[in-house]
Amino acid sequence: EAGVAQSPRYKIIEKRQSVAFWCNPISGHATLYWYQQILGQGPKLLIQFQNNGVVDDSQLPKDRFSAERLKGVDSTLKIQPAKLEDSAVYLCASMRGDTEAFFGQGTRLTVV
Amino acid sequence: AQSVTQLGSHVSVSEGALVLLRCNYSSSVPPYLFWYVQYPNQGLQLLLKYTTGATLVKGINGFEAEFKKSETSFHLTKPSAHMSDAAEYFCAVSGGSNYKLTFGKGTLLTVNP
């Protein structure tokens, strides 16, 4: 089966600009996660969806970050406006049931 | 609430030596535990997982881990390190009906020839 697809792989933007990341999970996976991984750190959960509903967004900086999962399939994460500290790899993962999460290759964001 | 503590941000071993990466967790419900590996510029790949049943679990590439409830630990081991094992390793915990997955800060494994 196809894996979790993310795009773009790399993105460079200036601070205060906006950016969007896209994730297409594995077919049939109800749970979708977005993680932020800053260089040298572990992944930090930003938001978790169950189908098209939000399960946990307690660590999402809602003044600048937003995410949606329309129709419970693919998802978009947006940052507006970006700050220097948003430079990180953004990982998307999906899971069916309560087994294991499968990760995409991530989007590396550099804010200059 | 749940959390993961990985002891040692960097572990260095010689090729052929034992690999031991430490992980302790905290969970208010019976945990599911995972070890993931991340190679440079790649996503995370599952090495092994514990859900229920046998507490010693075997994974890919010769890795194994043992769930010890009394010690709240899930340490990762491999008897003989290969150069190809050099990567970053993350321990993670999940528990409860919401499937929230929480990661530790990671351990960078270096394998010396």
Side-chain angles (χ1 to χ4, degrees):
Chain A
E1 61 183 356
V4 176
Q6 289 189 248
S7 67
R9 283 297 313 276
Y10 304 93
K11 189 74 176 179
I12 301 174
I13 62 172
E14 295 183 349
K15 60 183 179 183
R16 292 187 290 275
Q17 285 188 321
S18 62
V19 64
F21 312 128
W22 176 80
C23 172
N24 192 21
I26 294 172
S27 177
H29 283 198
T31 304
L32 185 148
Y33 307 90
W34 281 103
Y35 286 88
Q36 179 193 59
Q37 187 178 21
I38 293 173
L39 186 64
Q41 298 183 18
K44 182 183 90 170
L45 180 67
L46 291 176
I47 189 166
Q48 177 185 343
F49 292 95
Q50 186 73 15
N51 296 308
N52 61 350
V54 175
V55 174
D56 188 327
D57 64 356
S58 57
Q59 297 192 91
L60 185 74
K62 298 180 184 65
D63 58 334
R64 298 184 301 108
F65 285 64
S66 65
E68 60 183 12
R69 190 183 184 197
L70 300 177
K71 301 180 181 179
V73 182
D74 57 345
S75 176
T76 302
L77 176 70
K78 297 180 181 178
I79 307 175
Q80 182 178 12
K83 293 184 176 181
L84 296 177
E85 60 260 35
D86 298 332
S87 294
V89 175
Y90 291 84
L91 295 165
C92 179
S94 70
M95 184 169 71
R96 179 176 56 201
D98 62 353
T99 54
E100 68 180 88
F102 292 84
F103 283 80
Q105 291 197 307
T107 295
R108 182 177 298 277
L109 174 67
T110 302
V111 183
V112 298
Chain B
Q2 57 193 35
S3 65
V4 173
T5 301
Q6 291 186 241
L7 300 175
S9 59
H10 187 195
V11 170
S12 182
V13 300
S14 298
E15 192 172 19
L18 171 72
V19 175
L20 171 61
L21 304 182
R22 300 178 186 275
C23 171
N24 289 89
Y25 70 90
S26 171
S27 177
S28 56
V29 298
Y32 287 1
L33 295 159
F34 307 84
W35 276 99
Y36 283 84
V37 61
Q38 186 176 38
Y39 297 101
N41 298 316
Q42 298 292 320
L44 279 73
Q45 178 185 4
L46 183 70
L47 274 179
L48 50 79
K49 63 182 178 183
Y50 168 79
T51 53
T52 58
T55 56
L56 181 63
V57 293
K58 297 183 184 298
I60 61 172
N61 302 336
F63 285 93
E64 63 181 37
E66 186 171 11
F67 169 59
K68 292 187 176 181
K69 183 179 178 180
S70 61
E71 299 177 8
T72 60
S73 69
F74 191 59
H75 301 329
L76 181 70
T77 60
K78 182 174 180 178
S80 177
H82 295 166
M83 297 296 291
S84 59
D85 295 327
E88 186 131 30
Y89 292 79
F90 294 94
C91 182
V93 63
S94 175
S97 58
N98 64 2
Y99 309 142
K100 182 176 180 179
L101 187 60
T102 302
F103 285 85
K105 294 186 176 182
T107 297
L108 180 65
L109 176 66
T110 302
V111 182
N112 304 307

